[in-house]
Amino acid sequence: MVMKNENPYLLLTPGPLSTTPSVKRVMLRDWCTWDDDYNVGVVQVIREKLVRLATANPANYTAVLMQGSGTFSVESVIGSAIPEEGKLLVLANGAYGQRLAKIADRLRIPLRVEDSGETSPPDVAALERTLREDPDITHVALVHGETTTGMLNPLTEVAAAVKAAGRVLIVDAMCTFGGVPLDVDQLGIDFIISSANKCIQGVPGFGFIVAQRDALAAIEGRARSLSLDLFDQWKTMEEGKGKWRYTSPTHTVRAFAQALAELEDEGGIEARFQRYTQNQKVLSEGMAELGFRGLLPAATQSPIITAFHFPDSPDFEFKRFYALLKERGFVIYPGKVTDLNTFRIGTIGDVDEKAIENLLKAIKECRYWV
Ligand SMILES: *Cc1c(COP(=O)(O)O)cnc(C)c1O
């Protein structure tokens, strides 16, 4: 059966994003959460594939799936990993870094936040100093791709500093996992978090954590929440061979399995990274030609999402621009930077260079303020 893509417009957003018709089509079937067809045939396959996507050396890692949007998985890790006598250092440079801090604050976890400002990457020398001077810090958390600005943070350098100082490393790789190559074992990442509806190109409904096995074994009994207890979720999944503790989003999970198969068909993470990188290149070059200024320099710009300054015109209004583009079949994203007027365009999902070229043509037509 060939099904037409029913989307009235393309989502150029950081997730939920445009998915393929085939990912949507596999959701037409219902699943029993007690049956091996689902647990062994779908969930366990996903868990194993996620670990292999995360590292070329999978023996020391395992994957846990968690109900909810990505933030639930982040909260699950922060709320479960840090012991009562522990302290979390958060490296923040945007809304998602600040959310890591907010979660810890809400859970009354001792916290230190180093905020480098929304347009600057974290200062690794300052991090090394902080870790030397503050022995109470047991865990460090950062966002890999900060969706607020589109910045790709220096994960390799941060990870090296955290590991050299013997601390546990938590990475929110929500909008990069599956779209930007990395190796958790090589980097020494203890917990990495992402969700179904970002670069793997599934639909929303759950997140996942790839965890270092010893680091995970160490957190038993620490959770500050029942439903978000990472250790218990893992134990049930491991011992029950794909069993979730509570009702899982079965259709979403099945769609995710299809999305993983399509990632393999595309040629894996490296090929997807190349496609996203090409999308972003075509976008940033085309936007520059149309007179838009990008927020970030190329050195820190990720291929995931790009922030642009509002045009220098008193007539420009984002809402009107958005509506005109939507009429032409493209949905873009509002800005999130605190002190600057920006809007954002995502380059992930079932989107290719041709689609970005069509977007640029539409943007050219929509510049009513020029
Ligand atoms: C999308 C995203 C999240 C999670 O957001 P949800 O709305 O809870 O799915 C967390 N961190 C980053 C960097 C993200 O891009």
Side-chain angles (χ1 to χ4, degrees):
M1 183 177 59
V2 179
M3 220 157 119
K4 219 171 117 276
N5 197 334
E6 292 178 346
N7 290 331
Y9 35 74
L10 194 67
L11 301 183
L12 296 167
T13 54
L17 36 66
S18 295
T19 58
T20 61
S22 37
V23 160
K24 290 184 277 282
R25 187 163 61 227
V26 295
M27 289 189 286
L28 290 173
R29 177 185 161 175
D30 303 312
W31 298 86
C32 171
T33 55
W34 277 97
D35 197 279
D36 279 352
D37 286 349
Y38 178 66
N39 292 329
V40 177
V42 182
V43 178
Q44 290 295 74
V45 174
I46 288 173
R47 292 182 62 215
E48 200 200 310
K49 283 187 178 181
L50 284 175
V51 176
R52 281 194 274 114
L53 286 176
T55 175
N57 191 15
N60 295 329
Y61 283 83
T62 184
V64 191
L65 314 185
M66 183 64 75
Q67 294 93 333
S69 83
T71 304
F72 291 62
S73 287
V74 176
E75 186 152 352
S76 160
V77 172
I78 291 177
S80 304
I82 299 148
E84 227 170 287
E85 66 282 8
K87 178 175 179 178
L88 177 68
L89 170 66
V90 169
L91 303 177
N93 55 357
Y96 292 95
Q98 283 299 337
R99 189 178 295 177
L100 299 173
K102 199 169 175 181
I103 289 169
D105 188 54
R106 187 63 61 95
L107 296 172
R108 299 189 174 83
I109 291 168
L111 174 68
R112 174 164 174 169
V113 183
E114 297 290 335
D115 194 324
S116 51
E118 285 172 327
T119 53
S120 303
D123 180 340
V124 179
L127 166 66
E128 287 168 340
R129 240 184 350 263
T130 302
L131 292 175
R132 262 199 314 274
E133 288 167 5
D134 194 342
D136 291 347
I137 295 167
T138 50
H139 293 64
V140 179
L142 87 156
V143 175
H144 184 208
E146 180 46 84
T147 317
T148 307
T149 53
M151 188 182 293
L152 199 60
N153 279 322
L155 180 57
T156 306
E157 292 78 2
V158 169
V162 173
K163 289 293 107 183
R167 303 326 210 276
V168 176
L169 180 57
I170 298 169
V171 180
D172 170 350
M174 204 67 65
C175 78
T176 49
F177 191 93
V180 177
L182 60 87
D183 189 306
V184 289
D185 186 56
Q186 237 171 52
L187 293 167
I189 295 171
D190 296 286
F191 301 92
I192 196 165
I193 308 144
S194 185
S195 76
N197 60 277
K198 305 258 177 162
C199 293
I200 308 284
Q201 298 182 186
V203 303
F206 72 96
F208 55 87
I209 296 99
V210 176
Q212 209 278 344
R213 282 180 181 276
D214 295 336
L216 185 62
I219 71 171
E220 182 170 11
R222 290 180 185 172
R224 293 158 181 82
S225 156
L226 172 67
S227 56
L228 296 176
D229 186 328
L230 181 63
F231 184 86
D232 277 4
Q233 183 87 343
W234 169 73
K235 196 156 188 258
T236 302
M237 244 172 214
E238 192 79 352
E239 289 174 359
K241 296 195 167 47
K243 179 93 183 63
W244 299 50
R245 282 180 308 159
Y246 311 126
T247 299
S248 64
T250 48
H251 299 79
T252 297
V253 173
R254 178 61 188 90
F256 189 74
Q258 174 64 22
L260 283 172
E262 292 180 14
L263 173 59
E264 284 162 27
D265 290 345
E266 186 173 343
I269 292 175
E270 187 58 43
R272 183 156 292 181
F273 174 67
Q274 292 306 331
R275 173 165 61 87
Y276 290 169
T277 299
Q278 183 62 15
N279 287 349
Q280 201 282 331
K281 180 170 182 277
V282 171
L283 176 71
S284 61
E285 288 172 2
M287 289 295 275
E289 268 172 42
L290 294 173
F292 291 91
R293 280 188 307 126
L295 175 73
L296 298 179
T300 53
Q301 174 64 53
S302 73
I304 307 300
I305 188 166
T306 308
F308 296 96
H309 290 282
F310 280 8
D312 285 326
S313 164
D315 298 330
F316 178 82
E317 201 202 350
F318 177 72
K319 259 177 108 167
R320 186 165 163 205
F321 180 51
Y322 175 92
L324 287 169
L325 282 175
K326 185 174 155 187
E327 272 171 29
R328 285 162 178 77
F330 300 98
V331 158
I332 63 169
Y333 221 50
K336 212 176 169 106
V337 178
T338 314
D339 299 326
L340 297 165
N341 284 320
T342 56
F343 64 88
R344 291 174 292 172
I345 299 178
T347 35
I348 59 176
D350 185 28
V351 173
D352 60 12
E353 192 179 336
K354 186 80 202 137
I356 301 296
E357 280 162 8
N358 290 335
L359 166 77
L360 289 165
K361 276 181 213 148
I363 289 177
K364 194 170 181 184
E365 288 169 19
C366 294
R367 289 180 308 159
Y368 63 86
W369 60 91
V370 173

